[in-house]
Amino acid sequence: MSPTAAPQTIHFHQKHHDAVQRGDKVTTVRWQEDVRTGPGVFVFDEHPSATPLAGQVTEVTDHRLAELTPRAAHQPADTDMADFARQLRANYYPDMPDDAVVQVAVIALDATPPA
């Protein structure tokens, strides 16, 4: 029997719980977090009642922040990407430089909850 990769833990802000659970939020943009494809447990920090959700990271692509497009980030076509970068800094990564390389991770929930 071959060993199964341990799931990585991916933290989300509590405000994303419902969108991830419904399947509306299917991507996340990360800086310096080393997200990889494979099994994951999605944890919603400081959420008063959310249990972790089992899922998968199905794709990870690297992009220079300054060149990140709405399409690459899986955002609406009219997204202001300069504002998107400002929001990433304001909400999650205050030290992220203009020349940062970010990861866009595509996520999906599993049908069964994590053990």
Side-chain angles (χ1 to χ4, degrees), residues 25-89:
K25 180 171 179 60
V26 296
T27 61
T28 182
V29 177
R30 302 297 172 114
W31 177 61
Q32 292 188 325
E33 291 194 41
D34 194 29
V35 177
R36 64 189 185 284
T37 58
V41 176
F42 307 145
V43 175
F44 300 89
D45 297 331
E46 300 179 22
H47 192 289
S49 62
T51 57
L53 300 173
Q56 299 286 324
V57 177
T58 60
E59 180 183 341
V60 178
T61 54
D62 293 338
H63 302 272
R64 291 197 176 284
L65 180 63
E67 299 169 1
L68 187 64
T69 64
R71 181 180 178 133
H74 299 258
Q75 297 297 308
D78 61 348
T79 299
D80 178 336
M81 295 310 287
D83 187 51
F84 185 87
R86 279 191 294 278
Q87 290 298 316
L88 283 173
R89 283 190 190 92

